């Protein structure tokens, strides 16, 4: 027999009280002789014997009653051989992702789950618990209550695979079995199927279901070029309901309100824009007021002042369409012909474009290979029957094919096209080419033909077109794609033009700074400092972020304790979608609250509970005492 609360067995010390009282009442009396009472002696002896028996029986029933009450509060039970030992193997996953900001019957879903855990788990029960951002091992509810109540929502959401792997890490070395409690709203992760834990685990699922609510979200923002070289910050909104709604959007720089505008959200979508005269340094946010989810009411954005980007265009054609894209306000644009180009100036550039050169000389190829190896950007626009291109890193010999093709594929996930389009366009005026110079270099495609081959691909800092772009061969110069493609390639080694980056995804962010030996860049928000993966080049440095960023906000880029730039990160907006795994996909019965799990777990792990028997025994002994006192003469 085992006890849930063995410390209460110290209550057996109370058994000494009735024993002391009994001994006090059984003290010996002094005999006093008295005349004329000899005939009463047999009656007196008989009465004393009955009284002694009555007191012993009363003492025994009282002792048994007190012992039964103490045992009942200690909660005894008889375990079975295959039970899971709770204090070593209970693991709890508590989802604290942004979708748990939704309101349930008793308030915000996450806070409701925390309150249930603190209220309903046994006080002495030891368990391990992890969320999307924290882990606690071998603790009681009193030890983690403050951390859970004060915890913020996490912008990082573990997928089912990650949850199972994390739970498995808490298993003891000698026992891989777990009692696993999975508390979540079970929001779907795209098309990822649900991962079921090991069958040997005693797994229970508690699904936190929100009540119906209305939510409006700021989904994305990007910079667009307006007339007269002015700029617009375009933003898109969405809602989870059909009815029209006017929404006020505020634009803040730090805590200073710069502007407000109104957006009409209709048919679940809406748009708004803010006109700005230039893209000088700012660090702020776009905000709306909404009673639904809170994390998607604010979009952090920032932009950094920068030096002009140096672009060298080595051109062998009469037209110069790039001059209209690489304008003087942002770029230091120069043009040269193959005969008058200064090879020594190539290393000082950040972007070089070779446009329809009939021949790439070995000297030029050598300088360009050094240029790209230093992390700079090369754009190659070939010509029909050109020679020497195979001398460039990653390129093959050109093979010309005369065959009209349409450019129909857009790789929206490529870094230079991220945040360029407000939505994924699937039907537009497709540009075309009449002849191609196939160059299958195995690079990452950016734009593709209708046959699946690449029109523009990227490999080793080199962007390669597979067709000349002159107006006789292609109408790509007049396509709406030409400006964003060349503009974003030009900004590739800077953070300019990108207002923010998504949290928990790989982001390569460049800054125009020369790092000396042993110098590093840090990201700082409030008191938190992060040293990301980074790499230094001749004229810029690149940092790579991933799972180490788990809070949305505006971060300062620090070099030797001095801020040099700002970068913004925002939460994954798909967490506001009301798409959840069903019971069939989970493959088990799903509970609706933590209290149900506690009841089931106790009944499964304590097959024979004895506290009720001891309560009834205590009542029985008390009744016996009353009967003894009343009827035993």
């Amino acid at each position: 027999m085992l006890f849930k609360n063995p410390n209460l067995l110290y209550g057996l010390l109370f058994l000494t009280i009735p024993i002391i009282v009994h001994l006090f009442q059984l003290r010996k009396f002094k005999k006093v002789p008295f005349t004329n009472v000899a005939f009463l002696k047999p009656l007196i002896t008989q009465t004393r014997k009955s009284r002694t028996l009555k007191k012993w029986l009363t003492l025994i029933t009282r002792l048994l009653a007190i012992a039964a009450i103490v045992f009942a509060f200690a909660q005894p039970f008889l375990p079975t051989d295959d039970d899971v030992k709770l204090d070593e193997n209970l693991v709890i996953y508590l989802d604290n992702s942004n979708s748990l900001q939704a309101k349930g019957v008793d308030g915000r879903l996450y806070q409701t789950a925390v309150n249930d855990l603190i209220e309903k788990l046994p006080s002495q029960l030891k368990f391990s618990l992890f969320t999307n951002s924290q882990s606690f091992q071998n603790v009681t509810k009193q030890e983690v209550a403050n951390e859970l109540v004060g915890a913020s929502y996490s912008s990082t959401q573990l997928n089912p695979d990650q949850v199972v792997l994390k739970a498995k890490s808490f298993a003891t070395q000698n026992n891989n079995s777990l009692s696993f409690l999975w508390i979540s709203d079970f929001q779907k992760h795209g098309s990822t199927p649900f991962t079921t834990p090991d069958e040997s685990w005693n797994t229970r699922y508690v699904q936190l279901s929100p009540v119906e609510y209305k939510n409006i979200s700021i989904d994305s923002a990007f910079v667009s070029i307006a007339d007269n070289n002015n700029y617009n910050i375009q933003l898109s909104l969405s809602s989870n309901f059909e009815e029209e709604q006017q929404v006020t959007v505020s634009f803040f720089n730090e805590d200073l309100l710069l502007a407000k505008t109104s957006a009409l959200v209709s048919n679940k979508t809406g748009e708004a824009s803010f006109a700005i005269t230039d893209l000088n340094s700012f660090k702020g946010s776009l905000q709306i007021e909404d009673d639904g989810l809170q994390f998607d009411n604010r979009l952090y954005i920032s932009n950094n002042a920068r030096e002009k980007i140096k672009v060298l265009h080595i051109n062998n054609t009469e037209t110069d369409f790039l001059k209209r894209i690489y304008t003087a306000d942002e770029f230091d644009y120069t043009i040269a012909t193959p005969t008058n180009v200064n090879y020594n100036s190539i290393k000082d550039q950040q972007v070089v474009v070779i446009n329809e050169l009939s021949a790439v000389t070995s000297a030029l190829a050598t300088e360009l290979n050094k240029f790209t190896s230093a992390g700079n950007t090369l754009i190659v626009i070939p010509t029909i029957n050109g020679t020497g291109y195979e001398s460039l890193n990653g390129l093959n010999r050109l093979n010309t094919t005369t065959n009209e093709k349409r450019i129909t594929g857009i790789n929206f996930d490529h870094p230079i096209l991220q945040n360029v389009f407000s939505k994924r366009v699937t039907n537009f005026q497709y540009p075309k080419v009449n002849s191609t110079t196939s160059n299958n270099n195995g690079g990452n495609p950016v734009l593709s033909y209708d046959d699946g081959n690449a029109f523009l691909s990227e490999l080793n800092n080199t962007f390669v077109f597979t067709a000349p772009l002159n107006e006789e061969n292609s109408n790509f110069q007049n396509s709406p794609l030409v400006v964003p493609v060349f503009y974003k390639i030009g900004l590739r080694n800077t953070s300019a033009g990108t207002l923010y980056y998504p949290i928990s995804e790989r982001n390569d962010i460049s800054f125009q700074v020369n790092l000396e030996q042993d110098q590093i860049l840090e990201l700082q928000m409030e008191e938190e400092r992060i040293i990301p993966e980074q790499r230094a080049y001749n004229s810029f440095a690149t940092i790579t972020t991933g799972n180490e960023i788990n809070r949305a906000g505006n971060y300062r880029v620090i070099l030797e304790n001095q801020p040099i730039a700002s970068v913004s990160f925002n939460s994954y907006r798909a967490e506001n979608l009301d798409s959840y795994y069903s019971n069939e996909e989970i493959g088990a019965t799903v509970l609706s609250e933590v209290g149900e799990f506690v009841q089931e777990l106790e009944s499964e792990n304590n097959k024979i509970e004895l506290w009720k028997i001891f309560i009834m025994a205590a009542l029985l002994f008390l009744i016996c005492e009353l009967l003894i006192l009343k009827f035993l003469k």
Side-chain angles (χ1 to χ4, degrees):
M1 183 171 65
L2 300 176
F3 298 89
K4 285 188 181 180
N5 303 312
N7 293 334
L8 294 181
L9 293 178
Y10 288 110
L12 294 175
L13 296 175
F14 287 107
L15 294 175
T16 59
I17 296 176
I19 294 175
I20 293 173
V21 172
H22 178 76
L23 293 176
F24 177 77
Q25 290 180 347
L26 291 180
R27 68 185 185 275
K28 293 182 178 180
F29 294 94
K30 185 178 180 181
K31 295 181 180 180
V32 179
F34 197 79
T35 59
N36 298 327
V37 292
F39 65 93
L40 295 176
K41 187 174 181 179
L43 179 61
I44 293 173
T45 302
Q46 183 180 3
T47 303
R48 283 180 179 174
K49 290 181 179 179
S50 299
R51 187 173 298 169
T52 301
L53 177 62
K54 182 176 182 179
K55 288 182 178 180
W56 279 108
L57 290 175
T58 303
L59 174 63
I60 292 172
T61 55
R62 287 174 179 173
L63 291 176
L64 292 174
I66 293 174
I69 291 173
V70 172
F71 274 87
F73 278 100
Q75 297 190 41
F77 63 92
L78 296 176
T80 58
D81 294 336
D82 57 348
D83 282 337
V84 176
K85 198 172 182 181
L86 288 181
D87 59 351
E88 293 182 0
N89 295 281
L90 176 59
V91 178
I92 301 173
Y93 166 59
L94 177 58
D95 188 359
N96 67 331
S97 58
N98 285 320
S99 62
L100 273 295
Q101 293 179 5
K103 291 182 179 179
V105 176
D106 299 320
R108 302 282 180 189
L109 296 179
Y110 172 75
Q111 292 299 330
T112 300
V114 170
N115 293 338
D116 284 348
L117 286 173
I118 295 174
E119 176 184 349
K120 296 176 180 178
L121 284 180
S123 300
Q124 302 302 319
L125 175 64
K126 292 213 167 193
F127 55 88
S128 297
L129 182 145
F130 66 97
T131 66
N132 297 310
S133 52
Q134 293 177 294
S135 295
F136 308 93
Q137 191 163 8
N138 197 26
V139 294
T140 63
K141 66 179 184 181
Q142 291 88 349
E143 294 172 336
V144 297
N146 291 335
E147 285 83 356
L148 295 180
V149 171
S152 59
Y153 293 96
S154 173
S155 298
T156 303
Q157 186 182 39
L158 299 180
N159 61 43
D161 278 336
Q162 294 170 324
V163 171
V164 173
L165 289 175
K166 184 74 172 178
K168 190 174 183 179
S169 67
F170 288 95
T172 59
Q173 294 181 354
N174 299 327
N175 189 355
N176 290 326
S177 297
L178 293 176
S179 280
F180 183 41
L181 174 59
W182 192 328
I183 306 174
S184 175
D185 59 352
F186 295 101
Q187 188 180 56
K188 286 188 174 181
H189 290 254
S191 58
T192 304
F194 187 81
T195 302
T196 304
D198 195 295
E199 293 182 357
S200 64
W201 295 8
N202 180 20
T203 305
R204 290 294 181 271
Y205 306 93
V206 176
Q207 185 167 24
L208 307 175
S209 301
V211 297
E212 185 176 354
Y213 65 96
K214 293 183 177 181
N215 183 63
I216 301 176
S217 166
I218 302 179
D219 288 340
S220 63
F222 61 94
V223 176
S224 64
I225 302 176
D227 296 334
N228 300 322
N229 289 329
N230 290 327
Y231 301 89
N232 286 333
I233 295 180
Q234 303 281 143
L235 64 147
S236 60
L237 300 95
S238 66
S239 67
N240 65 345
F241 55 94
E242 296 285 351
E243 62 187 77
E244 291 187 356
Q245 182 99 9
Q246 285 286 346
V247 180
T248 300
V249 186
S250 303
F251 179 20
F252 287 86
N253 186 13
E254 298 283 1
D255 295 327
L256 177 64
L257 177 62
L258 296 183
K260 281 189 175 184
T261 190
S262 181
L264 177 64
V265 179
S266 178
N267 296 324
K268 296 187 176 183
T269 61
E271 294 182 350
S273 65
F274 292 94
I276 53 178
T277 56
D278 57 51
L279 283 177
N280 286 332
S281 176
F282 65 84
K283 179 175 65 175
S285 61
L286 303 168
Q287 299 181 31
I288 61 173
E289 296 292 334
D290 174 51
D291 292 332
L293 299 176
Q294 300 301 301
F295 81 96
D296 56 11
N297 292 347
R298 173 181 290 185
L299 190 74
Y300 294 96
I301 58 175
S302 59
N303 192 66
N304 300 302
R306 67 180 191 276
E307 298 178 359
K308 292 184 178 181
I309 299 171
K310 295 181 179 181
V311 178
L312 172 62
H313 183 192
I314 305 175
N315 192 355
N316 204 26
T317 65
E318 296 179 357
T319 60
D320 188 12
F321 67 97
L322 294 181
K323 189 174 183 179
R324 300 191 300 269
I325 300 174
Y326 297 133
T327 54
D329 57 332
E330 295 183 82
F331 299 90
D332 183 3
Y333 176 78
T334 57
I335 188 170
T337 63
T339 57
N340 65 7
V341 62
N342 182 2
Y343 289 175
N344 291 328
S345 67
I346 292 178
K347 65 179 184 299
D348 299 323
Q349 308 298 314
Q350 291 164 281
V351 180
V352 172
V353 184
I354 57 173
N355 187 3
E356 299 192 35
L357 303 187
S358 58
V360 176
T361 65
S362 59
L364 177 60
T366 300
E367 293 298 325
L368 292 178
N369 290 336
K370 292 179 182 179
F371 179 75
T372 55
S373 297
N376 298 299
T377 302
L378 172 65
I379 303 175
V380 177
I381 306 173
T383 186
I384 301 298
N385 299 322
T387 61
Y389 285 84
E390 65 275 11
S391 301
L392 299 174
N393 287 338
L395 270 68
N396 300 323
R397 184 181 297 274
L398 302 184
N399 295 312
T400 303
T401 302
T402 304
N403 186 16
E404 181 178 304
K405 293 184 178 181
R406 294 192 306 166
I407 303 165
T408 60
I410 301 176
N411 183 2
F412 294 98
D413 296 323
H414 194 281
I416 72 165
L417 295 183
Q418 288 179 351
N419 301 319
V420 170
F421 302 95
S422 59
K423 59 182 179 179
R424 301 202 170 200
V425 181
T426 57
N427 185 15
F428 60 98
Q429 185 177 359
Y430 301 117
K432 63 179 181 178
V433 298
N434 298 323
S435 299
T436 63
T437 56
S438 60
N439 193 312
N440 185 15
N441 60 357
N444 185 12
V446 181
L447 301 174
S448 303
Y449 296 116
D450 49 7
D451 61 2
N453 292 321
F455 168 69
L456 170 63
S457 61
E458 181 261 334
L459 179 67
N460 298 330
N461 302 316
T462 302
F463 290 81
V464 182
F465 288 87
T466 58
L469 301 186
N470 60 71
E471 294 182 347
E472 289 76 17
N473 188 65
S474 173
N475 61 351
F476 184 73
Q477 291 187 28
N478 301 319
S479 165
L481 293 174
V482 65
V483 173
V485 166
F486 277 97
Y487 182 78
K488 290 288 287 184
I489 294 176
L491 299 179
R492 173 174 171 266
N493 287 336
T494 72
S495 59
T498 302
L499 298 178
Y500 62 90
Y501 297 87
I503 284 178
S504 299
E505 294 185 12
R506 180 184 173 91
N507 301 295
D508 295 319
I509 311 170
S510 299
F511 303 96
Q512 291 179 284
V513 59
N514 293 320
L515 294 182
E516 298 179 0
Q517 189 175 8
D518 297 332
Q519 286 185 327
I520 59 172
L521 298 177
E522 297 179 79
L523 296 178
Q524 180 184 30
M525 186 173 70
E526 298 174 352
E527 300 301 320
E528 179 183 11
R529 279 202 176 194
I530 300 170
I531 301 178
E533 178 186 342
Q534 53 197 276
R535 187 173 180 180
Y537 297 93
N538 291 341
S539 59
F540 65 96
T542 298
I543 65 172
T544 301
T545 64
N547 292 330
E548 69 271 23
I549 305 294
N550 53 34
R551 283 202 300 161
N554 294 318
Y555 289 74
R556 295 191 301 170
V557 182
I558 304 296
L559 175 61
E560 295 187 336
N561 294 321
Q562 296 298 321
I564 62 168
S566 298
V567 60
S568 300
F569 294 91
N570 286 289
S571 303
Y572 189 46
R573 265 10 191 201
E575 284 200 49
N576 56 25
L577 301 178
D578 52 354
S579 177
Y580 307 97
Y581 291 109
S582 64
N583 288 7
E584 291 75 18
E585 291 173 299
I586 296 174
T589 303
V590 178
L591 307 178
S592 60
E593 60 178 19
V594 176
E596 293 184 47
F597 164 78
V598 175
Q599 293 176 359
E600 284 194 12
L601 198 59
E602 287 179 346
S603 64
E604 286 190 8
N605 286 276
N606 307 324
K607 301 297 183 180
I608 304 176
E609 295 183 340
L610 303 178
W611 67 271
K612 295 180 182 179
I613 297 176
F614 281 97
I615 288 291
M616 291 187 290
L619 293 175
L620 177 62
F621 292 135
L622 291 175
I623 293 172
C624 290
E625 179 188 359
L626 293 175
L627 293 176
I628 291 172
L629 293 174
K630 185 173 181 64
F631 296 106
L632 184 60
K633 301 299 184 182

